[in-house]
Amino acid sequence: MKKTVNINLAGTFFHIDEDAFGKLSRYLDAIKKSLSDPQGKDEIIRDIEARISELFSEKIESTSQVISIKELDEVITVMGQPEDYRVDEEIFEDTPPSYTSSRRDRTTTSHQQLFRDVDNKFISGVSSGLSHYLKIDAIWVRLLWILLTILTSGTFIIIYILFWILVPAALTTSEKLKMSGEAVTISNIEKKFKEGYDTVADRVKNADYDKFGQKVGNGAVTFVETLGNILLTILKIFVKFFGIILILIGLSVLISLIISLFTLGTIDLWGTGEVLDYINLVDTSNSPIWLVSLLAFLAVGIPFFVIFILGLKLLVTNLKSIGTKAKIILLVLWVASLVGLGILGVRQATEKAYNGEVITEEKLPVRTGDTVRIAMRANTQYDVYVSKNGGVEIKYDENDQKIIYSNDIRLIVKSTTDSVAKIIIDKNAEGNSFLNAKKRAEAIEYNYAFENETLFLDGYFLTNFENKYRDQEIEITLFLPEGSILVAEDNTYSYHRNDSRHNDILHNGMEGKSLLILKNKTQCLDCPEDQIMDDSNEMDTSATGDWKQDVEKEFTDDTQTEIKVIKVDSVKTSIPVKVTDSI
């Protein structure tokens, strides 16, 4: 019957039989002897014991199970024999060690685990730990966190905090080996320890002890210096925060450019829909959309890429440069894109350099004393209702041909001393020459009609799609003789919303009213009070109330009409009235 020994290995208690205990003791003694460098020997042994403790825990099924020679041999197989890992300084040379490592390679594979790398942390070491686990550089993991945080509106901040809480930090040498996926063997533990030890030793070696001693001796570490260090720390935090802002700005703009410009730039590749038609409608350079999109992406994207890199430099210490060649290429592409956009912009601008107009004038059968109505009319083939909104649309005519449909029409009403009304239609368009602009103006199709004392004005105009959109517009000026009466329909409201410089005597809000045309004014005949509107868009109430009316009866043989002459503010207006039997 074998004796059982209770041992404490790296803080964990195990039951081990006497033979296995003796072999384990001899194994650990042999390891101690194999460590040629006394520096850090105790810490290395502690890490090795911690690793053996982990392997023992994996072997046993319950805390009461006794570890035998069999389980110990399996652990030693994983850890390796001391003579196979005669560690000396040659493991830190560039040349491979002279001993044979085939046995070690067969028996010391290690399963990689996820830890937080607190030695290379920026906040908590989550990104550094993931970089070891995913075998990529930590900077790309950090950028991925930022990108996912932007795309998920901050949700990944919570996920980051969960990683911070749930993922343990790599503190011991064996944990750091597991984090990097290296086998936790005697040689690797000592090597990892020596690497950390050498790093610390270099820092200690390079320290300026004379300067430090002089500071201590002179009492230089004062409150002022401490305050300066605090301010410097705050400044560093601000710089880091500013770097994060630059990264967010640069990354968000780049993502937006990639999505929008890629979508826009590939329109002509997957069809000629309405979007492409409207782009061609206003595009004067006749350049491929993909080319314009590419130039715009380079012109806008490269500066924001530089902002993004600048943010990284502020955020990450010792960030590798993208290289001189890359900088030169980006600079050349940026300048070329600006030149290209400049050329396209000049071509676009020259198409609107000249303004051409075509004016037509025609008399209307409206005289002093007549009543005329004004109404805007629609064409149900294009739209049921008409209203001026300055918009341009692509429609199809009766032959299913594309045409340009616009309601950019301005209506102006003015008074005239002439006895007959007249209408002036001014068609305007732009072009790269005066002749070209005039031809575009002539190509505008517009109609009106005068029927039953009503002037019907089209609330729209048309032009062929080939003429493109070059700010085509129409201005209609209606001159009515003084003494005539005007009634404007409600649908004219949006067409005569003019400011004072147009001297329009038909003002908004007077639709549907009977308006007596005076000199540069209108008088409302059926309003609650007499209202006279002048050319300054203000209501003149000085003529209401006590104005004299001098009525004179005049007869004409041909019209048999009674003429009433009304004197209003020294303006005489003749209103024809049918002769009654009482006269």
Side-chain angles (χ1 to χ4, degrees):
M1 183 176 180
K2 295 183 179 180
K3 293 182 180 180
T4 300
V5 180
N6 296 327
I7 62 172
N8 182 355
L9 197 61
T12 305
F13 288 94
F14 295 98
H15 303 289
I16 185 171
D17 64 39
E18 187 176 18
D19 295 340
F21 175 74
K23 187 172 183 178
L24 177 61
S25 300
R26 293 191 297 273
Y27 178 74
L28 293 175
D29 290 339
I31 291 174
K32 292 179 181 179
K33 294 178 181 178
S34 68
L35 300 177
S36 57
D37 193 345
Q39 293 177 346
K41 180 182 293 186
D42 293 338
E43 185 172 346
I44 294 174
I45 292 297
R46 283 197 298 270
D47 286 330
I48 293 174
E49 291 179 352
R51 178 56 178 162
I52 294 174
S53 174
E54 292 176 359
L55 294 175
F56 278 163
S57 299
E58 294 174 0
K59 299 294 181 184
I60 62 176
E61 298 178 356
S62 64
T63 56
S64 61
Q65 181 177 341
V66 178
I67 296 174
S68 63
I69 290 288
K70 178 184 177 182
E71 286 80 17
L72 178 60
D73 289 340
E74 292 176 355
V75 170
I76 293 176
T77 301
V78 174
M79 295 296 296
Q81 295 292 340
E83 59 269 19
D84 293 334
Y85 299 95
R86 182 69 62 180
V87 182
D88 52 26
E89 294 303 322
E90 68 179 357
I91 66 174
F92 301 102
E93 299 294 335
D94 294 334
T95 57
S98 59
Y99 55 83
T100 303
S101 60
S102 59
R103 179 181 177 183
R104 179 188 62 184
D105 295 338
R106 291 194 306 268
T107 60
T108 60
T109 57
S110 176
H111 177 68
Q112 188 175 7
Q113 297 183 25
L114 179 61
F115 290 92
R116 288 186 291 112
D117 187 2
V118 293
D119 293 334
N120 299 305
K121 69 177 181 179
F122 181 75
I123 298 177
S124 65
V126 172
S127 297
S128 298
L130 285 172
S131 69
H132 289 291
Y133 194 79
L134 300 175
K135 304 297 184 183
I136 59 177
D137 195 273
I139 182 62
W140 301 113
V141 180
R142 293 188 175 102
L143 292 178
L144 183 61
W145 277 114
I146 296 174
L147 176 61
L148 292 175
T149 301
I150 295 173
L151 296 178
T152 59
S153 301
T155 303
F156 264 76
I157 295 178
I158 300 176
I159 298 176
Y160 184 90
I161 295 174
L162 290 177
F163 268 90
W164 190 348
I165 297 173
L166 300 177
V167 178
L171 301 176
T172 66
T173 305
S174 59
E175 289 173 343
K176 294 177 182 179
L177 291 172
K178 291 178 185 178
M179 178 178 64
S180 59
E182 300 180 50
V184 187
T185 60
I186 301 170
S187 61
N188 283 340
I189 289 175
E190 184 176 8
K191 179 181 177 180
K192 195 73 175 178
F193 177 81
K194 283 183 174 292
E195 288 176 352
Y197 179 84
D198 291 341
T199 301
V200 175
D202 290 338
R203 292 178 182 176
V204 174
K205 185 189 303 182
N206 296 329
D208 193 348
Y209 293 104
D210 294 336
K211 182 178 180 180
F212 181 76
Q214 184 178 0
K215 283 186 177 182
V216 175
N218 297 334
V221 185
T222 61
F223 172 77
V224 176
E225 184 175 356
T226 303
L227 181 61
N229 292 333
I230 294 174
L231 295 176
L232 183 61
T233 303
I234 295 174
L235 179 61
K236 289 180 179 179
I237 295 174
F238 174 78
V239 170
K240 298 291 185 182
F241 179 74
F242 184 67
I244 293 175
I245 293 178
L246 293 181
I247 291 175
L248 293 177
I249 293 175
L251 198 59
S252 58
V253 171
L254 289 175
I255 293 173
S256 301
L257 283 174
I258 292 173
I259 295 174
S260 59
L261 294 180
F262 176 80
T263 303
L264 183 63
T266 55
I267 287 178
D268 53 350
L269 299 180
W270 42 259
T272 55
E274 288 189 7
V275 176
L276 185 60
D277 286 339
Y278 278 99
I279 292 175
N280 291 330
L281 185 65
V282 297
D283 179 32
T284 60
S285 62
N286 297 321
S287 303
I289 297 177
W290 65 266
L291 177 60
V292 179
S293 301
L294 179 61
L295 293 177
F297 176 77
L298 294 175
V300 179
I302 291 178
F304 280 95
F305 177 74
V306 173
I307 291 176
F308 174 72
I309 295 297
L310 178 60
L312 287 180
K313 287 184 176 293
L314 295 177
L315 194 63
V316 181
T317 307
N318 299 326
L319 180 68
K320 292 183 179 179
S321 174
I322 61 175
T324 304
K325 291 183 179 180
K327 293 178 182 177
I328 294 175
I329 292 174
L330 289 176
L331 179 61
V332 172
L333 289 175
W334 184 61
V335 173
S337 64
L338 291 179
V339 173
L341 290 177
I343 294 173
L344 297 180
V346 171
R347 292 176 60 182
Q348 183 83 12
T350 54
E351 282 291 325
K352 297 185 176 183
Y354 295 88
N355 183 74
E357 61 180 350
V358 176
I359 301 175
T360 58
E361 179 178 336
E362 185 176 347
K363 294 185 180 298
L364 297 176
V366 178
R367 298 178 179 274
T368 300
D370 291 346
T371 298
V372 60
R373 304 182 72 90
I374 302 177
M376 311 303 293
R377 65 182 179 182
N379 188 335
T380 55
Q381 181 178 349
Y382 306 118
D383 211 337
V384 178
Y385 304 102
V386 288
S387 177
K388 179 182 178 181
N389 52 27
V392 176
E393 298 181 64
I394 298 175
K395 303 281 188 178
Y396 289 86
D397 61 12
E398 61 274 5
N399 299 319
D400 294 332
Q401 298 295 319
K402 284 186 294 187
I403 59 172
I404 299 174
Y405 173 93
S406 175
N407 48 40
D408 193 1
I409 300 173
R410 183 185 301 278
L411 174 61
I412 302 173
V413 178
K414 295 184 178 183
S415 63
T416 179
T417 57
D418 295 341
S419 60
V420 181
K422 64 179 178 180
I423 183 173
I424 297 177
I425 298 178
D426 187 359
K427 302 177 182 179
N428 285 270
E430 296 177 343
N432 56 10
S433 66
F434 177 76
L435 182 60
N436 189 294
K438 188 175 181 180
K439 287 181 178 179
R440 281 200 174 95
E442 291 175 344
I444 297 175
E445 300 176 14
Y446 183 77
N447 297 297
Y448 67 93
F450 188 83
E451 301 174 357
N452 300 325
E453 297 183 347
T454 301
L455 177 62
F456 294 100
L457 300 171
D458 283 354
Y460 65 94
F461 65 82
L462 306 174
T463 188
N464 290 333
F465 185 80
E466 291 74 15
N467 294 324
K468 304 284 188 177
Y469 174 68
R470 298 296 181 268
D471 288 339
Q472 288 94 334
E473 62 181 5
I474 292 179
E475 183 174 286
I476 302 173
T477 305
L478 178 62
F479 289 91
L480 295 177
E482 296 177 11
S484 60
I485 297 175
L486 169 65
V487 179
E489 297 290 343
D490 290 339
N491 62 3
T492 63
Y493 178 87
S494 61
Y495 291 91
H496 64 85
R497 300 187 66 181
N498 305 314
D499 53 39
S500 59
R501 64 187 176 90
H502 291 96
N503 298 321
D504 186 6
I505 62 174
L506 175 60
H507 305 289
N508 288 123
M510 302 305 293
E511 294 80 12
K513 305 295 184 181
S514 296
L515 304 177
L516 178 63
I517 304 299
L518 304 176
K519 184 178 181 181
N520 298 328
K521 300 178 181 180
T522 60
Q523 175 189 332
C524 182
L525 299 178
D526 52 1
C527 294
E529 294 183 355
D530 298 291
Q531 300 171 354
I532 297 180
M533 305 297 292
D534 59 20
D535 57 357
S536 63
N537 287 341
E538 296 180 354
M539 185 179 299
D540 184 1
T541 60
S542 62
T544 63
D546 299 331
W547 33 282
K548 294 181 179 181
Q549 297 185 354
D550 296 332
V551 180
E552 299 177 2
K553 295 182 179 179
E554 299 179 3
F555 297 88
T556 58
D557 296 335
D558 53 345
T559 61
Q560 292 298 307
T561 305
E562 178 188 24
I563 306 299
K564 289 185 178 180
V565 180
I566 303 176
K567 187 176 183 182
V568 181
D569 280 354
S570 70
V571 177
K572 285 188 177 182
T573 302
S574 299
I575 304 177
V577 180
K578 292 293 182 181
V579 177
T580 62
D581 294 338
S582 62
I583 299 295

